[in-house]
Amino acid sequence: MLSPLPEHPAVSYVMPVLNEAKHLGEAVRAVLSQEYAGEQELVLALGASTDGTDEVADALAASDPRVRLVRNPRNDIPIGLNLAIAASRHPVIVRVDAHAELPPGYTAAAVEILHRTGAADVGGMMVAKGHGRFQRAVARAYNSPFGLGGGSWHHGEEEIESDSAYLGVFRREVLEAVGGYDETLRRAEDWELSHRIRAAGHLIIFTPKLKVVYWPRSSWDALRRQMYATGVWRGHLVRRQGSTPWRYLPPPAVAVLVAISLLVGLLQLFGVARGAGWALAHVPSLGYLVGVSAVGISRLGGDNLADRLLNVVVLATMHLSWGSGFIKGWLTGAATTVDRSRLG
């Protein structure tokens, strides 16, 4: 049984930050401009940035007493979140991403749902946006069920009980009871935390009322690195927990089929694999290529043909990077795999 919350409980926002000089100011301003009647504070957990992020954070803290800073020299997101939570003071914890912007009314709406439903965690929708051509293509893929799958936080249309939440507005007492974020993880920490919250008998709610703008990776290499690391850690968790949700299987299956096709192609090139029968090994990967091309060109949108072709590149990068990473994590664990897409 959770303890009762006051009508407008004080709120602590926690934000892990690494190499976010470009976006940090807007992310912080979106937090500090929330129209909410309760007391608020923002704790930034600063990793070892190399792009001037610390100077931006120092200026933000100097300009508003609600902003406080803690250091996270190891850079890992779960460690930074736990450090920020430990330094915070209030009964409601709002996780914020430095690469995202909370919309007006976000906090008030989330607290209302905590009151009404008795939930331990409330999350909303990730609405990806982009500036340049490549980032806009990545955003289109994020916002499509063909990119990151059909999770409610990408496409949900009604308030429902969920198995996880994007970012998350938490009851502090629940976070403390389940032990906070798992610091052995470098990715998928929110999914793993949600698993423990639900196992402890608590409710997680998704609502489409909360729509958070997210700015995805803006280059092909950064996207590839991010998706590979995310896949590795998701595979690692599946390996550790001993179950494999079916929705995780299509990307690794595609990665295996493409790898088989490439291997057979090399054997054919060197004359080792001869005969028409070997050509059958290429059918599944060619089918995937046709399918992802059709989706990228006809379903994701874009201003012109170049945009639509870029959709295909982005989708294939996401699927194959995540899928190959998942296989690695599932078979051997994550070991020291790090998402280097934001490292300087």
Side-chain angles (χ1 to χ4, degrees), residues 280-328:
L280 295 175
H282 302 300
V283 172
S285 57
L286 288 174
Y288 168 74
L289 178 61
V290 170
V292 78
S293 297
V295 167
I297 292 171
S298 66
R299 301 292 296 274
L300 264 64
D303 294 333
N304 49 49
L305 180 59
D307 284 348
R308 293 172 185 272
L309 292 175
L310 193 55
N311 292 341
V312 178
V313 173
V314 166
L315 285 174
T317 300
M318 294 171 73
H319 297 162
L320 294 174
S321 298
W322 195 97
S324 59
F326 182 92
I327 293 169
K328 192 269 183 187

Side-chain angles (χ1 to χ4, degrees), residues 42-265:
L42 169 61
V43 184
L44 306 181
L46 301 179
S49 296
T50 58
D51 69 342
T53 292
D54 285 6
E55 290 77 8
V56 175
D58 289 339
L60 291 167
S63 67
D64 195 310
R66 292 175 293 175
V67 180
R68 295 189 290 118
L69 311 178
V70 296
R71 298 292 167 179
N72 176 28
R74 287 178 55 186
N75 294 337
D76 292 346
I77 291 174
I79 295 175
L81 286 167
N82 284 343
L83 288 169
I85 291 167
S88 68
R89 301 168 293 173
H90 299 322
V92 173
I93 303 294
V94 181
R95 176 178 172 174
V96 190
D97 189 338
H99 224 60
E101 296 172 20
L102 300 188
Y106 180 92
T107 306
V111 169
E112 184 277 326
I113 294 170
L114 288 177
H115 275 297
R116 174 165 48 82
T117 65
D121 180 16
V122 174
M125 295 185 67
M126 173 196 287
V127 181
K129 293 187 178 182
H131 291 298
R133 169 170 282 179
F134 186 87
Q135 192 178 41
R136 287 196 296 270
V138 178
R140 290 192 293 270
Y142 265 73
N143 294 331
S144 165
F146 299 102
L148 294 175
S152 57
W153 50 94
H154 295 297
H155 322 290
E157 297 180 349
E158 60 183 28
E159 184 178 301
I160 57 171
E161 182 177 349
S162 180
D163 59 359
S164 187
Y166 173 55
L167 297 180
V169 178
F170 301 89
R171 295 288 300 268
R172 173 189 285 275
E173 63 184 287
V174 173
L175 283 180
E176 292 177 345
V178 301
Y181 288 92
D182 185 339
E183 295 186 2
T184 68
L185 304 177
R186 288 192 167 99
R187 301 290 296 176
E189 71 285 340
D190 49 356
W191 186 72
E192 191 277 337
L193 174 62
S194 296
H195 178 81
R196 282 185 283 124
I197 289 174
R198 286 169 56 84
H202 299 293
L203 184 67
I204 298 175
I205 292 291
F206 161 80
T207 175
K209 293 180 181 178
L210 307 180
K211 294 180 172 64
V212 181
V213 172
Y214 173 77
W215 299 96
R217 304 306 193 262
S218 57
S219 72
W220 178 83
D221 189 57
L223 178 67
R224 176 190 64 81
R225 289 170 179 265
Q226 178 198 22
M227 288 295 142
Y228 177 77
T230 302
V232 169
W233 283 100
R234 189 55 57 90
H236 172 86
L237 283 177
V238 165
R239 172 189 173 93
R240 190 171 82 177
Q241 295 176 350
S243 61
T244 309
W246 68 266
R247 66 182 182 274
Y248 297 154
L249 297 181
V254 168
V256 169
L257 293 172
V258 170
I260 291 173
S261 181
L262 290 173
L263 177 59
V264 170

